[in-house]
Amino acid sequence: MTKAFFPFLFLSFSFFLTNAQSLSISGQLSDKQGEPLIGASVVIFKANDSAIVKGVTTDFEGNFKLEGLQPGIQLIRITYLGFHEMLITREL
């Protein structure tokens, strides 16, 4: 049985502007009990053509960081075994 991400997932994002309009996104993924989601997949796609920009997996504390992103509308896909996929659209 799969679980829904929305009620069971604590998700925090931080967007940082670095030099030459290069951006980063970081966050922490955990379930409703506060347990980190180790090895969750976080992938950034371009919203206009769904091309993969970058992807990472979360560490042992559920943390992730994607650096070197360009400004624009991005689609963030989060997947984790046993949970439904989560899609978020954000403008960086």
Side-chain angles (χ1 to χ4, degrees):
M1 182 156 122
T2 59
K3 300 175 185 176
F5 259 118
F6 296 104
F8 303 110
L9 177 68
F10 171 73
L11 173 65
S12 63
F13 281 117
S14 299
F15 300 96
F16 296 101
L17 178 63
T18 58
N19 60 350
Q21 293 293 314
S22 177
L23 302 167
S24 67
I25 298 175
S26 62
Q28 182 178 39
L29 304 177
S30 60
D31 64 15
K32 73 175 186 175
Q33 288 84 26
E35 295 296 318
L37 298 181
I38 301 167
S41 173
V42 181
V43 180
I44 304 291
F45 297 88
K46 289 182 181 179
N48 61 347
D49 63 4
S50 299
I52 294 175
V53 176
K54 290 202 178 205
V56 296
T57 56
T58 57
D59 64 15
F60 288 105
E61 295 175 352
N63 297 313
F64 68 90
K65 186 170 187 176
L66 291 153
E67 299 178 301
L69 303 173
Q70 298 302 311
I73 298 173
Q74 310 287 334
L75 178 64
I76 304 164
R77 183 180 74 188
I78 301 168
T79 55
Y80 188 70
L81 188 62
F83 286 77
H84 290 292
E85 176 182 87
M86 181 179 209
L87 296 171
I88 301 167
T89 303
R90 292 284 187 262
E91 184 168 359
L92 303 180

